Amino acid sequence: MGEKGPMRFSFKSIKTSGLSLEDVEIAVGRLAIEEEWEPMGPTPMPKIETLRSWDMKLLKRYRPFYMPICDLCCLCTYGKCDLTRGKRGSCGLTLDAQQGRIVMIACAIGAATHASHARELVDLLIERYGEDWPIDLGEEVHVEMPHTRLVVGIKPKTLGDLSYALNYVEEQIVQTLAASHTGQESDYMDFESKSLHLGMLDHVAMEIADVAQIITFGFPRGDPEAPLAEIGLGCVDVSKPLIMCIGHNVTNSIDIIDFMEKSGLGAPGEMIEVAGLCCTAHDTVRYRKSAKVVGPISYQLRFVRSGAADVIVTDEQCIHTSILYEAQRVKAPVISVSNKALRGLEEVSDKPVDEIVNMLVTGKVPGVAILDLEKAAAVAVLTALRIAPLRKKFKVVPNREELVKIASKCVKCGSCRRNCPIDLPVDEAVSAAKNGDLSKLAEIHDLCLGCARCESACMREIPILSLITGAADYKIKTSKFKMRVGRGPIRDTEIREVGSPIVLGEIPGVIALVGCANYPSGGKEVAIMAEEFLRRRYIVVASGCAAMSIAEYRTEEGTTLYEEYSGAFEAGGLVNVGSCVANAHISGACIKIANIFARRNLRANYEEIADYVLNRVGACGIAWGAMSQKAASIATGFNRLGVPVILGPQGAKYRRLYLGRKEDLESFTVYDARTGERVWVGPAPEHLVYVAESREEAMVMAAKLCLRPNDTTKGRMIKLTHYVELHKKFYGTLPPDLHLYIRTEADIPITHKFEIMNYLKKVDWKPWEKPIVDPTLLKRLIRVKK
Amino acid sequence: MAVTPWQYGNVPGPKVALTLKGDVAGRIIKAAKKPLIIVGAEALKVKIGEERTLLDYAIELSRLSGAPIVATSHTLKAFLERGFKPAAVMGSVEITDRLRDPSWSIDGSEAHDLVIYLGIAYQLQSQLLSALKNFALHLKTISLDRYYHPNASWSFPNLSFDKWVDNLNMVLEVLSDGVGGKR
């Protein structure tokens, strides 16, 4: 840890009595022993300013569009400052810059959270496995860490190398975050450049975190046939003691499973159930598929209140901060294993296991913090075994009779609805329950975010979330599905297979369904979008809560999409890469296409690779329920790499989008690398971050955002077929901007040729003079200058 | 008494919308030189009569006011099924982005002076209105949705369903009978 370097010394000539050398370079530090696997590119370990010119190229085309959620600034004691309608704050800042600043802070929080997660993993794993533990992702993954190679400029070989790469990420996050202090950065475009920098760092941090856990814990290494695991609120056997792990850092879950197996208690599910919520669940089933995934973040409180969990272990990120209170209500002790979330608990890492178990079983304390993970695992298992017979799955979810009685307290003031983040008609549902009609509460169960803000606002103190859970009891019991466990990276062999059809456009695109569970109308929408694109033979990749939501849906055949579609990175494949940190494999696949298929140099060559991805790789993210700061930085990292992202309507609260304007022809010009000419290539992709009102709009836009200037005529025809079909299906007409994407008649979808030809006549379309170019935004890539 | 935003936490800052009734909204729309109506996907779901949705209302509003409609999301299909052709189909963020530009209008001539929003989900509409409130000083905005939108220039207060429909109808009455306004 803390290793610095490298330091380079250059000498024109060195002469001593016995030696004479010219043009000498001496390097001291880790890179001094780095093999020359590729010439060093132009931007190793980029600083804030290094890639600024690339950012400005993006931001010139995709202008920031700000939607302030608050018109004030209250970050220093000059404030509150009213920045409405052009006013400046006491420090001189304007509202647009303030929006850029807040988004940048969100990205810094997101990147720092993943970097901290990675640091905890790497340090612990070095302690356990040694810093020379090799990075081995199997025979079919040679480009093991594309982000690390691309950004840091090293080819990591050991856990120790990951620590070194992480030093760089941590340093840059600190440097960039400092720009948000009062009286530092003042220009909104520069704040955006810094957000993009943080997003890029975030992907490096995520890659480090996921690779570290894959290589040490034996997770699938890009296996398209990774096993299926059980998921759903009803998938646990409540007759057994149950340990529930919530959060993102899987180490504690793994230690729990190891302790159980070493102690003769068998694998998860044999004598004790081990279940997870949120991303730690993803990673737990990557370790043992017999563990259970309860579901996404939105199920936390409902599951705890159901009383099924006997011990709750929390690590880090996205854990409901009332978890201790909620656990106390059902007499389940909490063990916190992260110093980032100690929850006011006594830290007992130095006490003997038996003593801690006694404290928890007797109820002397509601929970403890244990920062020694192996000890925490022993305490969790032994406590679960002893406390399960005592608490007898004590729950606070009312039965149907009790429910009606509680609901009768409702005066229909509407506070519940007006505090619901997605404006669900909670008041009407509770009111109906008063009269014995529980169907509306049960309907809300499928859409509810599970945040319990409604309860907090209720002046009659009605436990509304418990009513919703109770009313949907019959659904919950049968809520059992199958999810393919996170497979990790995309294999080099797969990239070789699909690189060409993706870049040429013959596979219509890669759709990444990612992000949290802040859905406007339930998780089912994510699955419906996945199914639509799978049927159209896009490559669909998924991660995090979205990957779970896809599992909780049955097709007409009664199976889940994971059972119906292949897990390979191929046309019509559904690839669950894993938890949040596995998002790096999705962006990593785009980088690998540029490197493995197109043979572009990877090492410290960020601009060129991002330019390639933007102009050639038809990928688009859909973060339908994006909620967290991590999601903000992940999306922004995708953007710097040239991958557009569509957010659900709640995403407008991130305050900033990157929108293109197709009528601004100049902004959609590129260099033709063959001639140096500046040529218009159509608005492809049209936006970098976009908010869709509905899933219908998201699907149409996603098909459009997979268009790239480099598409071949066959590829463009295939992509336009899907764009046209989706537009006709949901909008009823041909797309009104279709002519902007048809370069020659050969681009026209055959199935709609007659209709489109008529349309083209009406808009006076002419074939392009230069239909296919070698597109780039980088002048230095022009091969022949005129 | 101050009006609270429909979503209690949606408190933007010192500048918030003035509340109005349907007749005043009708006069403002009538007085506008170049109003524009933006209709979102919620208009497909919200019924304001036995066989009348908010989308049908928007068509009537457009016909009486002469203001063109921008259909956002997948509302276009429903408009066309009713024999009505919107002036444009665009994403709600795309049209709002362009409206920040004082030289932009849907027909390429003089800029709009009033934008009427209806049928866009509350949280999203609030953000769109905030963008125009702060970065389109040449524009006024009205939300005709049922709930108070503090980021608009003018908004209905939070209304019961029946009162909201009454107010919507009052807008049409003003536009149809020539009361008030210049146009």
Side-chain angles (χ1 to χ4, degrees), chain A residues 66-68 71 82 84-85 95 418-421 423 652 661 663 686-687 690 693-694 696 729-731 733, chain B residues 4-8 12 14-15 40-41 72-74 77 80 91 94 97-98 123-124 127 130-131 133-134 158:
Chain A
Y66 293 120
M67 300 171 281
D71 304 338
D82 172 21
T84 317
R85 294 166 73 83
L95 188 57
R418 294 177 66 179
N419 280 280
C420 173
D423 203 17
R661 287 198 192 177
E663 64 272 25
E686 188 179 1
H687 306 296
Y690 182 85
E693 266 181 82
S694 65
E696 291 86 353
K729 179 175 176 179
F730 297 123
Y731 290 55
T733 65
Chain B
T4 52
W6 171 247
Q7 288 276 307
Y8 280 125
K15 181 167 174 55
T72 72
S73 188
H74 57 303
K77 194 174 183 179
L80 297 175
E94 292 176 315
D97 175 34
R98 283 161 175 81
Q123 295 87 352
L124 175 56
Q127 294 303 98
S130 169
K133 176 177 84 174
N134 284 298
N158 300 311

Short mmCIF file of all heavy atoms in Angstrom, two decimals, chain A residues 66-68 71 82 84-85 95 418-421 423 652 661 663 686-687 690 693-694 696 729-731 733, chain B residues 4-8 12 14-15 40-41 72-74 77 80 91 94 97-98 123-124 127 130-131 133-134 158:
data_model
loop_
_atom_site.label_atom_id
_atom_site.label_comp_id
_atom_site.label_asym_id
_atom_site.label_seq_id
_atom_site.Cartn_x
_atom_site.Cartn_y
_atom_site.Cartn_z
N TYR A 66 -29.39 21.04 -17.92
CA TYR A 66 -29.56 21.02 -16.46
C TYR A 66 -31.02 21.22 -16.06
O TYR A 66 -31.71 22.09 -16.59
CB TYR A 66 -28.71 22.12 -15.81
CG TYR A 66 -27.23 21.87 -15.94
CD1 TYR A 66 -26.41 22.78 -16.60
CD2 TYR A 66 -26.66 20.72 -15.41
CE1 TYR A 66 -25.05 22.54 -16.73
CE2 TYR A 66 -25.30 20.47 -15.53
CZ TYR A 66 -24.50 21.39 -16.19
OH TYR A 66 -23.16 21.15 -16.32
N MET A 67 -31.44 20.43 -15.09
CA MET A 67 -32.79 20.52 -14.51
C MET A 67 -32.62 20.60 -12.99
O MET A 67 -32.66 19.58 -12.31
CB MET A 67 -33.58 19.26 -14.87
CG MET A 67 -33.74 19.02 -16.34
SD MET A 67 -34.45 17.39 -16.69
CE MET A 67 -33.02 16.35 -16.51
N PRO A 68 -32.40 21.80 -12.46
CA PRO A 68 -32.10 21.88 -11.02
C PRO A 68 -33.22 21.29 -10.17
O PRO A 68 -34.40 21.51 -10.43
CB PRO A 68 -31.98 23.40 -10.78
CG PRO A 68 -31.68 23.97 -12.13
CD PRO A 68 -32.40 23.10 -13.12
N ASP A 71 -32.90 25.22 -6.25
CA ASP A 71 -32.38 26.47 -6.84
C ASP A 71 -31.37 27.16 -5.92
O ASP A 71 -30.91 28.26 -6.21
CB ASP A 71 -33.51 27.45 -7.14
CG ASP A 71 -34.58 26.84 -8.03
OD1 ASP A 71 -34.26 25.86 -8.73
OD2 ASP A 71 -35.73 27.31 -8.00
N ASP A 82 -29.51 32.12 -3.21
CA ASP A 82 -30.54 31.91 -4.23
C ASP A 82 -29.90 32.09 -5.61
O ASP A 82 -29.46 33.19 -5.95
CB ASP A 82 -31.68 32.91 -4.01
CG ASP A 82 -32.69 32.87 -5.14
OD1 ASP A 82 -32.75 31.85 -5.86
OD2 ASP A 82 -33.43 33.87 -5.30
N THR A 84 -31.49 31.33 -8.48
CA THR A 84 -32.55 31.26 -9.48
C THR A 84 -32.33 32.23 -10.64
O THR A 84 -31.94 33.38 -10.43
CB THR A 84 -33.91 31.63 -8.81
OG1 THR A 84 -33.97 31.00 -7.56
CG2 THR A 84 -35.08 31.21 -9.66
N ARG A 85 -32.60 31.78 -11.80
CA ARG A 85 -32.70 32.59 -13.01
C ARG A 85 -31.53 33.56 -13.18
O ARG A 85 -31.70 34.76 -13.33
CB ARG A 85 -34.02 33.37 -13.01
CG ARG A 85 -35.23 32.43 -13.13
CD ARG A 85 -36.53 33.12 -12.81
NE ARG A 85 -36.97 34.04 -13.82
CZ ARG A 85 -37.63 33.70 -14.93
NH1 ARG A 85 -37.93 32.45 -15.15
NH2 ARG A 85 -38.01 34.62 -15.79
N LEU A 95 -25.97 29.05 -11.40
CA LEU A 95 -26.75 27.83 -11.18
C LEU A 95 -26.31 26.69 -12.09
O LEU A 95 -26.31 25.53 -11.66
CB LEU A 95 -28.25 28.13 -11.39
CG LEU A 95 -29.20 27.00 -11.01
CD1 LEU A 95 -29.03 26.57 -9.55
CD2 LEU A 95 -30.66 27.43 -11.24
N ARG A 418 -48.28 11.51 -1.13
CA ARG A 418 -47.50 12.71 -1.43
C ARG A 418 -46.06 12.60 -0.95
O ARG A 418 -45.24 13.47 -1.17
CB ARG A 418 -48.19 13.94 -0.87
CG ARG A 418 -49.51 14.19 -1.59
CD ARG A 418 -50.26 15.36 -1.01
NE ARG A 418 -49.57 16.62 -1.22
CZ ARG A 418 -50.05 17.79 -0.82
NH1 ARG A 418 -51.23 17.85 -0.19
NH2 ARG A 418 -49.39 18.90 -1.05
N ASN A 419 -45.75 11.53 -0.24
CA ASN A 419 -44.37 11.26 0.13
C ASN A 419 -43.80 10.06 -0.62
O ASN A 419 -42.63 9.72 -0.42
CB ASN A 419 -44.26 11.04 1.64
CG ASN A 419 -44.24 12.36 2.38
OD1 ASN A 419 -43.20 13.03 2.46
ND2 ASN A 419 -45.39 12.79 2.89
N CYS A 420 -44.61 9.44 -1.42
CA CYS A 420 -44.12 8.28 -2.18
C CYS A 420 -43.24 8.77 -3.34
O CYS A 420 -43.68 9.60 -4.13
CB CYS A 420 -45.30 7.47 -2.73
SG CYS A 420 -44.76 6.15 -3.84
N PRO A 421 -42.01 8.27 -3.45
CA PRO A 421 -41.12 8.76 -4.52
C PRO A 421 -41.69 8.58 -5.92
O PRO A 421 -41.30 9.31 -6.84
CB PRO A 421 -39.86 7.91 -4.35
CG PRO A 421 -39.90 7.40 -2.96
CD PRO A 421 -41.34 7.27 -2.60
N ASP A 423 -45.15 8.34 -6.44
CA ASP A 423 -46.53 8.82 -6.48
C ASP A 423 -47.56 7.69 -6.60
O ASP A 423 -48.57 7.82 -7.30
CB ASP A 423 -46.67 9.80 -7.67
CG ASP A 423 -47.84 10.76 -7.50
OD1 ASP A 423 -48.34 10.90 -6.37
OD2 ASP A 423 -48.27 11.37 -8.51
N ALA A 652 -34.29 11.98 -14.01
CA ALA A 652 -34.24 13.44 -14.21
C ALA A 652 -33.74 14.12 -12.94
O ALA A 652 -33.23 15.24 -12.99
CB ALA A 652 -35.63 13.96 -14.59
N ARG A 661 -28.27 17.69 -30.47
CA ARG A 661 -29.36 18.31 -31.25
C ARG A 661 -29.09 17.97 -32.72
O ARG A 661 -28.15 18.49 -33.31
CB ARG A 661 -29.39 19.82 -31.06
CG ARG A 661 -29.91 20.22 -29.69
CD ARG A 661 -30.32 21.66 -29.69
NE ARG A 661 -30.56 22.17 -28.34
CZ ARG A 661 -30.89 23.42 -28.09
NH1 ARG A 661 -30.99 24.29 -29.07
NH2 ARG A 661 -31.10 23.82 -26.85
N GLU A 663 -30.41 18.79 -35.41
CA GLU A 663 -30.44 19.87 -36.40
C GLU A 663 -29.13 20.67 -36.42
O GLU A 663 -28.89 21.44 -37.34
CB GLU A 663 -31.64 20.80 -36.15
CG GLU A 663 -31.63 21.57 -34.84
CD GLU A 663 -32.26 20.80 -33.68
OE1 GLU A 663 -32.26 19.55 -33.74
OE2 GLU A 663 -32.73 21.43 -32.71
N GLU A 686 -27.33 9.85 -31.05
CA GLU A 686 -27.90 11.19 -30.92
C GLU A 686 -27.66 11.82 -29.54
O GLU A 686 -27.45 13.03 -29.44
CB GLU A 686 -29.41 11.14 -31.20
CG GLU A 686 -30.04 12.52 -31.27
CD GLU A 686 -31.52 12.48 -31.58
OE1 GLU A 686 -32.08 11.38 -31.73
OE2 GLU A 686 -32.14 13.55 -31.67
N HIS A 687 -27.74 11.03 -28.49
CA HIS A 687 -27.56 11.56 -27.12
C HIS A 687 -26.57 10.69 -26.35
O HIS A 687 -26.33 9.54 -26.71
CB HIS A 687 -28.89 11.55 -26.37
CG HIS A 687 -30.02 12.25 -27.07
ND1 HIS A 687 -30.01 13.60 -27.33
CD2 HIS A 687 -31.19 11.79 -27.58
CE1 HIS A 687 -31.14 13.94 -27.96
NE2 HIS A 687 -31.86 12.85 -28.14
N TYR A 690 -29.88 10.32 -21.51
CA TYR A 690 -31.24 10.69 -21.92
C TYR A 690 -32.22 10.17 -20.88
O TYR A 690 -31.98 9.12 -20.28
CB TYR A 690 -31.51 10.03 -23.29
CG TYR A 690 -32.85 10.33 -23.91
CD1 TYR A 690 -33.04 11.48 -24.66
CD2 TYR A 690 -33.92 9.46 -23.75
CE1 TYR A 690 -34.27 11.76 -25.25
CE2 TYR A 690 -35.15 9.72 -24.33
CZ TYR A 690 -35.32 10.88 -25.09
OH TYR A 690 -36.54 11.14 -25.66
N GLU A 693 -39.65 8.84 -20.72
CA GLU A 693 -40.84 8.86 -19.88
C GLU A 693 -41.41 7.47 -19.64
O GLU A 693 -42.03 7.21 -18.62
CB GLU A 693 -41.94 9.63 -20.62
CG GLU A 693 -42.06 11.08 -20.31
CD GLU A 693 -43.23 11.65 -21.12
OE1 GLU A 693 -44.38 11.52 -20.70
OE2 GLU A 693 -42.96 12.22 -22.18
N SER A 694 -41.30 6.62 -20.64
CA SER A 694 -41.96 5.31 -20.57
C SER A 694 -41.02 4.26 -21.14
O SER A 694 -40.07 4.58 -21.86
CB SER A 694 -43.23 5.34 -21.42
OG SER A 694 -42.88 5.53 -22.79
N GLU A 696 -41.75 2.26 -23.41
CA GLU A 696 -41.91 2.27 -24.88
C GLU A 696 -40.91 3.26 -25.49
O GLU A 696 -40.22 2.94 -26.47
CB GLU A 696 -43.35 2.66 -25.25
CG GLU A 696 -44.41 1.62 -24.90
CD GLU A 696 -44.93 1.72 -23.47
OE1 GLU A 696 -44.37 2.53 -22.69
OE2 GLU A 696 -45.88 1.00 -23.13
N LYS A 729 -44.44 0.12 -33.90
CA LYS A 729 -45.18 -0.62 -32.87
C LYS A 729 -45.70 0.30 -31.76
O LYS A 729 -46.85 0.21 -31.35
CB LYS A 729 -44.25 -1.68 -32.27
CG LYS A 729 -44.85 -2.54 -31.17
CD LYS A 729 -43.85 -3.63 -30.77
CE LYS A 729 -44.38 -4.44 -29.59
NZ LYS A 729 -43.43 -5.51 -29.20
N PHE A 730 -44.85 1.19 -31.31
CA PHE A 730 -45.23 2.01 -30.15
C PHE A 730 -45.72 3.42 -30.53
O PHE A 730 -46.45 4.04 -29.77
CB PHE A 730 -44.06 2.13 -29.17
CG PHE A 730 -43.65 0.81 -28.58
CD1 PHE A 730 -42.37 0.34 -28.69
CD2 PHE A 730 -44.58 0.03 -27.90
CE1 PHE A 730 -42.00 -0.88 -28.15
CE2 PHE A 730 -44.23 -1.19 -27.34
CZ PHE A 730 -42.94 -1.65 -27.48
N TYR A 731 -45.28 3.93 -31.65
CA TYR A 731 -45.64 5.30 -32.04
C TYR A 731 -46.59 5.33 -33.23
O TYR A 731 -47.18 6.36 -33.53
CB TYR A 731 -44.38 6.11 -32.41
CG TYR A 731 -43.46 6.46 -31.25
CD1 TYR A 731 -42.94 5.49 -30.40
CD2 TYR A 731 -43.09 7.78 -31.01
CE1 TYR A 731 -42.10 5.81 -29.37
CE2 TYR A 731 -42.24 8.11 -29.97
CZ TYR A 731 -41.74 7.12 -29.15
OH TYR A 731 -40.91 7.46 -28.13
N THR A 733 -45.99 5.12 -36.47
CA THR A 733 -45.53 5.70 -37.74
C THR A 733 -44.06 5.34 -37.98
O THR A 733 -43.38 4.83 -37.10
CB THR A 733 -45.59 7.24 -37.73
OG1 THR A 733 -44.66 7.72 -36.73
CG2 THR A 733 -46.98 7.75 -37.41
N THR B 4 -48.61 23.93 -0.89
CA THR B 4 -47.46 23.03 -0.79
C THR B 4 -47.36 22.24 -2.09
O THR B 4 -48.37 21.90 -2.70
CB THR B 4 -47.62 22.05 0.38
OG1 THR B 4 -48.89 21.40 0.26
CG2 THR B 4 -47.52 22.75 1.70
N PRO B 5 -46.14 21.92 -2.50
CA PRO B 5 -45.99 21.10 -3.70
C PRO B 5 -46.70 19.76 -3.49
O PRO B 5 -46.82 19.30 -2.36
CB PRO B 5 -44.48 20.88 -3.80
CG PRO B 5 -43.87 21.94 -2.95
CD PRO B 5 -44.85 22.28 -1.90
N TRP B 6 -47.16 19.16 -4.58
CA TRP B 6 -47.84 17.87 -4.46
C TRP B 6 -46.93 16.86 -3.77
O TRP B 6 -47.34 16.18 -2.83
CB TRP B 6 -48.25 17.36 -5.84
CG TRP B 6 -48.74 15.96 -5.80
CD1 TRP B 6 -48.16 14.88 -6.36
CD2 TRP B 6 -49.93 15.48 -5.15
NE1 TRP B 6 -48.89 13.75 -6.10
CE2 TRP B 6 -49.99 14.09 -5.36
CE3 TRP B 6 -50.94 16.09 -4.40
CZ2 TRP B 6 -51.02 13.29 -4.85
CZ3 TRP B 6 -51.96 15.30 -3.89
CH2 TRP B 6 -52.00 13.92 -4.12
N GLN B 7 -45.71 16.76 -4.21
CA GLN B 7 -44.73 15.95 -3.50
C GLN B 7 -44.14 16.86 -2.43
O GLN B 7 -43.48 17.84 -2.74
CB GLN B 7 -43.64 15.48 -4.46
CG GLN B 7 -44.11 14.42 -5.43
CD GLN B 7 -44.05 13.03 -4.83
OE1 GLN B 7 -43.02 12.63 -4.32
NE2 GLN B 7 -45.16 12.31 -4.87
N TYR B 8 -44.39 16.52 -1.18
CA TYR B 8 -44.04 17.44 -0.09
C TYR B 8 -42.58 17.90 -0.13
O TYR B 8 -42.26 19.03 0.20
CB TYR B 8 -44.31 16.78 1.26
CG TYR B 8 -45.77 16.82 1.67
CD1 TYR B 8 -46.45 15.66 2.00
CD2 TYR B 8 -46.46 18.03 1.74
CE1 TYR B 8 -47.79 15.69 2.39
CE2 TYR B 8 -47.80 18.07 2.12
CZ TYR B 8 -48.45 16.90 2.45
OH TYR B 8 -49.76 16.94 2.82
N PRO B 12 -38.36 23.85 -4.27
CA PRO B 12 -37.19 24.21 -5.09
C PRO B 12 -36.40 25.41 -4.59
O PRO B 12 -35.20 25.46 -4.74
CB PRO B 12 -37.82 24.52 -6.45
CG PRO B 12 -39.22 24.94 -6.16
CD PRO B 12 -39.63 24.25 -4.90
N PRO B 14 -36.89 30.01 -3.59
CA PRO B 14 -37.80 31.14 -3.35
C PRO B 14 -38.80 31.42 -4.47
O PRO B 14 -39.86 31.95 -4.20
CB PRO B 14 -36.86 32.33 -3.16
CG PRO B 14 -35.53 31.90 -3.63
CD PRO B 14 -35.49 30.41 -3.65
N LYS B 15 -38.45 31.06 -5.69
CA LYS B 15 -39.38 31.37 -6.78
C LYS B 15 -40.24 30.16 -7.08
O LYS B 15 -39.75 29.12 -7.54
CB LYS B 15 -38.62 31.78 -8.04
CG LYS B 15 -39.58 32.14 -9.17
CD LYS B 15 -38.91 32.84 -10.30
CE LYS B 15 -39.88 33.04 -11.46
NZ LYS B 15 -41.13 33.73 -11.10
N GLY B 40 -47.65 14.46 -22.46
CA GLY B 40 -46.87 13.28 -22.13
C GLY B 40 -47.70 12.02 -21.96
O GLY B 40 -48.93 12.02 -22.08
N ALA B 41 -46.98 10.94 -21.66
CA ALA B 41 -47.55 9.59 -21.68
C ALA B 41 -48.65 9.37 -20.64
O ALA B 41 -49.52 8.51 -20.82
CB ALA B 41 -46.45 8.56 -21.48
N THR B 72 -45.07 13.72 -26.73
CA THR B 72 -43.85 13.09 -26.21
C THR B 72 -44.13 11.61 -25.95
O THR B 72 -45.27 11.16 -25.96
CB THR B 72 -43.36 13.76 -24.91
OG1 THR B 72 -44.24 13.43 -23.85
CG2 THR B 72 -43.28 15.27 -25.07
N SER B 73 -43.04 10.89 -25.75
CA SER B 73 -43.10 9.44 -25.53
C SER B 73 -43.95 8.78 -26.61
O SER B 73 -43.85 9.16 -27.78
CB SER B 73 -43.64 9.16 -24.12
OG SER B 73 -43.54 7.78 -23.83
N HIS B 74 -44.82 7.82 -26.22
CA HIS B 74 -45.56 7.07 -27.24
C HIS B 74 -47.00 7.57 -27.38
O HIS B 74 -47.89 6.81 -27.73
CB HIS B 74 -45.53 5.58 -26.92
CG HIS B 74 -46.08 5.22 -25.57
ND1 HIS B 74 -45.58 5.75 -24.41
CD2 HIS B 74 -47.08 4.40 -25.19
CE1 HIS B 74 -46.25 5.26 -23.39
NE2 HIS B 74 -47.18 4.44 -23.83
N LYS B 77 -49.15 7.71 -31.29
CA LYS B 77 -50.04 6.71 -31.85
C LYS B 77 -51.50 7.02 -31.49
O LYS B 77 -52.40 6.97 -32.34
CB LYS B 77 -49.64 5.33 -31.32
CG LYS B 77 -50.25 4.18 -32.06
CD LYS B 77 -49.65 2.87 -31.52
CE LYS B 77 -50.18 1.70 -32.29
NZ LYS B 77 -49.60 0.44 -31.81
N LEU B 80 -52.86 10.00 -33.41
CA LEU B 80 -53.18 9.66 -34.81
C LEU B 80 -54.45 8.83 -34.89
O LEU B 80 -55.25 8.99 -35.82
CB LEU B 80 -52.00 8.94 -35.46
CG LEU B 80 -50.71 9.77 -35.58
CD1 LEU B 80 -49.58 8.92 -36.14
CD2 LEU B 80 -50.92 11.01 -36.44
N GLY B 91 -38.96 13.57 -27.58
CA GLY B 91 -38.86 13.24 -26.17
C GLY B 91 -39.13 14.47 -25.32
O GLY B 91 -38.87 15.59 -25.77
N GLU B 94 -36.07 16.35 -24.95
CA GLU B 94 -35.60 16.96 -26.20
C GLU B 94 -36.31 18.28 -26.48
O GLU B 94 -35.67 19.29 -26.83
CB GLU B 94 -35.82 16.00 -27.38
CG GLU B 94 -34.95 14.77 -27.33
CD GLU B 94 -35.26 13.78 -28.45
OE1 GLU B 94 -36.45 13.52 -28.70
OE2 GLU B 94 -34.33 13.25 -29.04
N ASP B 97 -35.29 20.88 -23.84
CA ASP B 97 -33.93 21.36 -24.12
C ASP B 97 -33.96 22.47 -25.17
O ASP B 97 -33.36 23.53 -25.01
CB ASP B 97 -33.07 20.18 -24.60
CG ASP B 97 -31.68 20.61 -25.03
OD1 ASP B 97 -31.14 21.54 -24.44
OD2 ASP B 97 -31.14 19.99 -25.98
N ARG B 98 -34.70 22.23 -26.23
CA ARG B 98 -34.72 23.23 -27.32
C ARG B 98 -35.42 24.52 -26.90
O ARG B 98 -35.08 25.61 -27.37
CB ARG B 98 -35.38 22.63 -28.56
CG ARG B 98 -34.45 21.68 -29.30
CD ARG B 98 -35.19 20.76 -30.22
NE ARG B 98 -34.29 19.93 -31.01
CZ ARG B 98 -33.72 18.81 -30.57
NH1 ARG B 98 -33.93 18.39 -29.35
NH2 ARG B 98 -32.92 18.10 -31.35
N GLN B 123 -42.75 13.84 -11.20
CA GLN B 123 -41.34 14.09 -10.88
C GLN B 123 -40.57 14.58 -12.11
O GLN B 123 -39.73 15.48 -12.01
CB GLN B 123 -40.68 12.82 -10.34
CG GLN B 123 -41.24 12.34 -9.03
CD GLN B 123 -42.45 11.44 -9.19
OE1 GLN B 123 -42.99 11.27 -10.28
NE2 GLN B 123 -42.90 10.86 -8.10
N LEU B 124 -40.85 13.98 -13.23
CA LEU B 124 -40.15 14.38 -14.45
C LEU B 124 -40.59 15.77 -14.89
O LEU B 124 -39.76 16.63 -15.24
CB LEU B 124 -40.41 13.35 -15.55
CG LEU B 124 -39.86 13.67 -16.94
CD1 LEU B 124 -38.36 13.93 -16.91
CD2 LEU B 124 -40.16 12.53 -17.91
N GLN B 127 -38.94 18.54 -13.02
CA GLN B 127 -37.56 18.80 -13.44
C GLN B 127 -37.52 19.58 -14.76
O GLN B 127 -36.70 20.48 -14.93
CB GLN B 127 -36.80 17.49 -13.58
CG GLN B 127 -36.59 16.73 -12.28
CD GLN B 127 -35.87 17.55 -11.25
OE1 GLN B 127 -36.50 18.15 -10.37
NE2 GLN B 127 -34.56 17.63 -11.35
N SER B 130 -38.33 23.08 -14.10
CA SER B 130 -37.22 23.75 -13.43
C SER B 130 -36.18 24.22 -14.45
O SER B 130 -35.62 25.32 -14.33
CB SER B 130 -36.58 22.78 -12.43
OG SER B 130 -35.36 23.30 -11.97
N ALA B 131 -35.93 23.38 -15.45
CA ALA B 131 -34.97 23.77 -16.50
C ALA B 131 -35.42 25.06 -17.18
O ALA B 131 -34.62 25.97 -17.41
CB ALA B 131 -34.84 22.65 -17.53
N LYS B 133 -37.67 27.30 -15.99
CA LYS B 133 -37.75 28.40 -15.03
C LYS B 133 -36.39 29.10 -14.91
O LYS B 133 -36.30 30.33 -14.87
CB LYS B 133 -38.17 27.86 -13.65
CG LYS B 133 -38.18 28.93 -12.56
CD LYS B 133 -38.68 28.39 -11.23
CE LYS B 133 -37.58 27.72 -10.46
NZ LYS B 133 -38.01 27.31 -9.12
N ASN B 134 -35.33 28.29 -14.85
CA ASN B 134 -34.02 28.85 -14.59
C ASN B 134 -33.22 29.23 -15.83
O ASN B 134 -32.36 30.10 -15.76
CB ASN B 134 -33.20 27.87 -13.74
CG ASN B 134 -33.67 27.87 -12.30
OD1 ASN B 134 -33.57 28.89 -11.63
ND2 ASN B 134 -34.20 26.76 -11.84
N ASN B 158 -53.22 21.89 -5.73
CA ASN B 158 -53.57 20.47 -5.64
C ASN B 158 -55.09 20.37 -5.58
O ASN B 158 -55.73 20.96 -4.72
CB ASN B 158 -52.95 19.85 -4.39
CG ASN B 158 -51.45 19.97 -4.41
OD1 ASN B 158 -50.81 19.62 -5.41
ND2 ASN B 158 -50.87 20.50 -3.34
#
